[in-house]
Amino acid sequence: MANIFVNINSSTQNYPIIICNEDISDLKKKILSYATGKKFLVVISEKVNKLYGKALGFENCEKFILKDGEKEKNFHNYQKILNRAFKMQLSRNDALIAIGGGVVGDIAGFAASTYMRGIKFIQVPTTLLACVDSSVGGKTGIDTNFGKNLIGSFYQPKAVIINTNFLNTLDDRQFKTGLGEVVKYAFIEKSCKCEEELNLTNFISENFENILLKNPDSLKNLITICIKLKVSVVQKDEKEGNLRKILNFGHTYGHAIEKYTNYKKYTHGEAIVKGIIFAFNLAVKRNLIDINYKYFADDVIKKFNFKTIPDYPIEKMVKLMKMDKKADSDYITFILPVDYSIVEEFKFTEKDLLY
Ligand code: GLY
């Protein structure tokens, strides 16, 4: 078992991220040790409930089962979770427990942060993407017709409890979407300013076969490295004023791909990998990096055999990138590599990118 403690200024106390691979039936006790009030509501993904509901042992507890898919992360379901909490008369001392992927964590976290101005929240991420990214750092939210995650809050949980056994039932594509974010951490590692030298690119190169085979120890070590990097960033900049922006590496172009294909054709991780490749190409074009670093990055990315995404018309991509919530009116912001595992923020005009 690995414990990483998160110390964020806005939180009243440090909280742990626990990474374990014990039997799923032993998890309930651990989860409830952080739900110290009288009552709790479990928000759980439909798929996870089907596969692990019995083993988890929350059968006779108050449970809100959320259907799977990004479209469920909406205002209607948010309201339904709150109504359930009101019917149960949850008090501020009680807890909301999220068991599932990013959608469940985001919507339940937002409900927890707003119900009575905030009740205890415990995250149990069950996808690789949620383990390495969305469950860490306190971003919560729901989607609107105007865009994804446009309503939300920064709200830190009481604990994040990761059990790598949940990953065994992820299909290949779902698993690899998480690996897309893993690869991102490899290329931003030094900029994360983590005290420990973790060398994620080496770890990937030496362990990629075991990672793809879902070897429990390799997964535990991989998740631990990624979380240490993310925690290092969010402890220094919880609200994305500055350093946290580096976590958007690959996301400017990646989000445009997702929008262009209506969030249907590619997974988030696949789009982010394409965005990372775009960022490397742009960095070469702007003389920010040596071509050999780009070749090195290509080799690391190839280890996971991601789905290949074609180049879409740059004019269309630029238009979409300009509409991103992180863009300002005249410039498109990119996080680009400038040296091995070091990235910086750059702003380009539409013209810069087209010609
Ligand atoms: N997923 C990016 C962040 O948490 O800031």
Side-chain angles (χ1 to χ4, degrees):
M1 192 170 87
N3 275 6
I4 298 166
F5 284 89
V6 187
N7 182 359
I8 290 193
N9 280 343
S10 74
S11 261
T12 43
Q13 65 199 67
N14 293 356
Y15 67 88
I17 299 178
I18 299 161
I19 306 159
C20 59
N21 52 17
E22 63 202 23
D23 219 79
I24 302 250
S25 52
D26 293 334
L27 212 53
K28 185 177 173 187
K29 219 167 117 205
K30 197 170 272 167
I31 296 170
L32 292 187
S33 69
Y34 294 94
T36 44
K38 286 199 181 92
K39 297 183 214 167
F40 60 88
L41 169 62
V42 175
V43 180
I44 187 166
S45 115
E46 189 175 41
K47 188 177 165 208
V48 173
N49 189 50
K50 260 191 205 135
L51 290 167
Y52 300 101
K54 257 210 184 97
L56 278 163
F58 288 113
E59 291 306 73
N60 299 317
C61 305
E62 290 279 351
K63 234 193 230 183
F64 183 97
I65 300 172
L66 190 71
K67 285 204 180 97
D68 292 289
E70 183 74 30
K71 70 176 194 315
E72 301 301 324
K73 209 172 96 180
N74 58 38
F75 191 79
H76 182 62
N77 281 328
Y78 161 69
Q79 205 174 25
K80 275 167 75 177
I81 295 170
L82 292 182
N83 286 344
R84 190 69 176 271
F86 285 121
K87 276 192 193 133
M88 288 173 66
Q89 299 186 320
L90 288 190
S91 77
R92 268 203 192 145
N93 267 334
D94 296 324
L96 219 147
I97 300 165
I99 308 178
V103 168
V104 173
D106 283 3
I107 194 170
F110 184 51
S113 78
T114 47
Y115 180 81
M116 305 247 177
R117 296 208 174 88
I119 55 168
K120 285 178 195 144
F121 177 47
I122 298 150
Q123 286 251 44
V124 184
T126 60
T127 64
L128 183 60
L129 189 85
C131 291
V132 296
D133 195 50
S134 61
S135 73
V136 181
K139 278 189 181 175
T140 79
I142 54 174
D143 301 335
T144 76
N145 292 338
F146 295 91
K148 278 171 83 171
N149 297 318
L150 291 185
I151 302 176
S153 60
F154 288 96
Y155 192 65
Q156 302 299 333
K158 290 286 166 222
V160 179
I161 303 170
I162 294 171
N163 187 312
T164 56
N165 286 320
F166 286 117
L167 307 183
N168 293 333
T169 43
L170 284 182
D171 67 36
D172 190 47
R173 251 189 120 184
Q174 274 182 312
F175 184 65
K176 281 196 184 167
T177 194
L179 291 178
E181 293 283 357
V182 166
V183 160
K184 172 192 84 178
Y185 288 113
F187 299 125
I188 66 170
E189 174 165 342
K190 286 189 188 145
S191 295
C192 292
K193 300 188 165 89
C194 184
E195 278 167 19
E196 235 178 295
E197 202 176 309
L198 297 159
N199 214 335
L200 181 55
T201 40
N202 265 12
F203 185 84
I204 291 173
S205 300
E206 285 165 14
N207 296 281
F208 70 96
E209 280 154 332
N210 280 332
I211 293 169
L212 289 170
L213 289 170
K214 297 184 184 162
N215 170 285
D217 286 334
S218 305
L219 287 184
K220 223 173 92 182
N221 292 335
L222 180 75
I223 292 169
T224 304
I225 294 174
C226 294
I227 290 179
K228 280 183 176 169
L229 293 172
K230 181 149 185 188
V231 166
S232 171
V233 171
V234 297
Q235 282 186 162
K236 293 175 182 72
D237 174 24
E238 179 192 11
K239 305 243 163 102
E240 206 168 313
N242 206 336
L243 182 67
R244 190 166 180 163
K245 290 181 188 168
I246 66 170
L247 299 175
N248 296 323
F249 180 50
H251 284 58
T252 310
Y253 189 85
H255 282 159
I257 295 267
E258 287 184 287
K259 270 190 210 145
Y260 190 67
T261 53
N262 287 324
Y263 298 92
K264 287 200 174 93
K265 207 170 163 75
Y266 306 109
T267 66
H268 178 65
E270 286 162 359
I272 295 322
V273 169
K274 180 72 181 176
I276 291 173
I277 296 168
F278 181 86
F280 269 98
N281 287 333
L282 190 55
V284 171
K285 212 167 138 190
R286 297 261 146 193
N287 285 321
L288 301 175
I289 55 165
D290 187 271
I291 188 82
N292 288 318
Y293 180 34
K294 184 196 132 43
Y295 294 148
F296 169 83
D298 286 343
D299 279 346
V300 175
I301 292 169
K302 270 188 202 135
K303 299 267 188 283
F304 290 137
N305 204 10
F306 291 105
K307 191 180 173 98
T308 317
I309 299 184
D311 290 327
Y312 288 103
I314 185 69
E315 299 76 18
K316 298 220 159 93
M317 292 294 113
V318 167
K319 249 193 200 102
L320 289 168
M321 289 191 278
K322 269 196 88 177
M323 281 159 55
D324 195 274
K325 70 173 181 294
K326 280 161 186 149
D328 60 41
S329 53
D330 296 322
Y331 296 98
I332 301 170
T333 307
F334 284 90
I335 305 297
L336 296 181
V338 292
D339 205 340
Y340 281 77
S341 300
I342 301 180
V343 289
E344 280 173 19
E345 185 185 70
F346 291 86
K347 287 183 188 293
F348 296 116
T349 62
E350 214 172 319
K351 256 193 184 157
D352 291 334
L353 296 165
L354 291 175
Y355 307 105

